[in-house]
Each structure stands twice: as structure tokens, then as C-alpha cells.
Amino acid sequence: MNTQVWIQEIESRLGTTLLESARQTDADDSFPFILVDEIIHDPYFVDLVSQIDRNHTLKEFNQLIKQISEVFPALASILLTQAAYGVYPILRFGTDSQRDTYLADLIQGKRLGAVAHSEEAGGSDIEQLTT
């Protein structure tokens, strides 16, 4: 599927554009729960994320993130985090037990992936991490 067509389908279902959603989220200083929920449960997105370790799918996913980031960078960051820090490491490097426990829920959007890097001694200076 063409990523631009998919974005238009999402916007049509929501009744608003990504740009309008970005402006509203910025104005409210809020997390775009409804939009994230709509996207991470969409079959196209689920399919992309579940195959993120394949080169052709990774290129398509990156194109999607690029297009979204042009109008809603925060949303692109959320979706990228879900795939790159939530799904991919477990899909590529996880044990069978980790895959069984977490992967389906991450792919289906029942769990959200996150990344954090901070330690008492180094704060958020990633070069000072000792873990």
C-alpha cells in the first residue's frame, strides 16, 4: 500500500488531518491517545511493524515515519519508538520466552514500547551510562 494513501485513510477515519491533530495536541499539551490507538491497531501498521526486520518492510516503514514527521514529528517519534525500541529488539534479539511474553502485545498495540536513558551519576548524558 502507498503510505500517503494510508495516511489519508487514517485521517478520513478520524475526521481530521495529521496537521490539525498536531496543532491540537500542541495547544492542549497532550498525548495523542486516540490517534496513536487508531494507528497502532491498524492492520497496515501492524503488518509493517511485525515484519520490521525485513529490508523492504523497513524501507516502507521509514518512508511512513518520514511522511508523518513532516506534519506531526511527535507522533512519528511515538510510532518509531514503538517499532524501533519496542518491537525490533525483541523480534531480532529476544529469547523465545521474551517473544512469547511481549511481542504479540507490542505488535498489536496492547503494550507501548519506550526508551529511557538516565542514571543517577550521569543524568541523561548517554555517554556516561554504566548499566
Side-chain angles (χ1 to χ4, degrees):
M1 173 182 281
N2 177 302
T3 55
Q4 188 59 42
V5 169
W6 179 78
I7 290 171
Q8 290 169 348
E9 288 177 9
I10 292 289
E11 291 175 334
S12 177
R13 286 198 307 253
L14 291 170
T16 186
T17 67
L18 291 182
L19 182 57
E20 291 166 343
S21 297
R23 287 180 178 150
Q24 187 63 47
T25 299
D26 287 347
D28 295 347
D29 194 26
S30 61
F31 186 90
F33 286 105
I34 293 171
L35 187 53
V36 169
D37 192 56
E38 181 73 27
I39 290 173
I40 65 176
H41 290 98
D42 182 87
Y44 172 72
F45 188 79
V46 169
D47 188 51
L48 277 180
V49 171
S50 68
Q51 299 180 58
I52 201 77
D53 61 334
R54 298 185 180 147
N55 194 37
H56 72 282
T57 304
L58 181 58
K59 287 180 183 178
E60 190 173 350
F61 180 79
N62 287 338
Q63 181 63 34
L64 175 66
I65 295 301
K66 180 182 177 204
Q67 288 179 335
I68 293 172
S69 69
E70 290 173 0
V71 293
F72 201 160
L75 176 61
S77 179
I78 293 164
L79 299 176
L80 183 59
T81 298
Q82 181 70 4
Y85 297 111
V87 174
Y88 181 76
I90 295 173
L91 184 64
R92 181 81 166 90
F93 304 108
T95 65
D96 288 340
S97 176
Q98 289 169 327
R99 285 189 199 102
D100 291 345
T101 302
Y102 302 109
L103 198 54
D105 285 350
L106 284 164
I107 289 171
Q108 296 168 9
K110 294 177 182 176
R111 292 179 188 245
L112 289 179
V115 62
H117 53 83
S118 182
E119 289 182 342
E120 187 175 345
S124 60
D125 182 354
I126 202 161
E127 292 181 1
Q128 300 299 314
L129 293 179
T130 59
T131 302

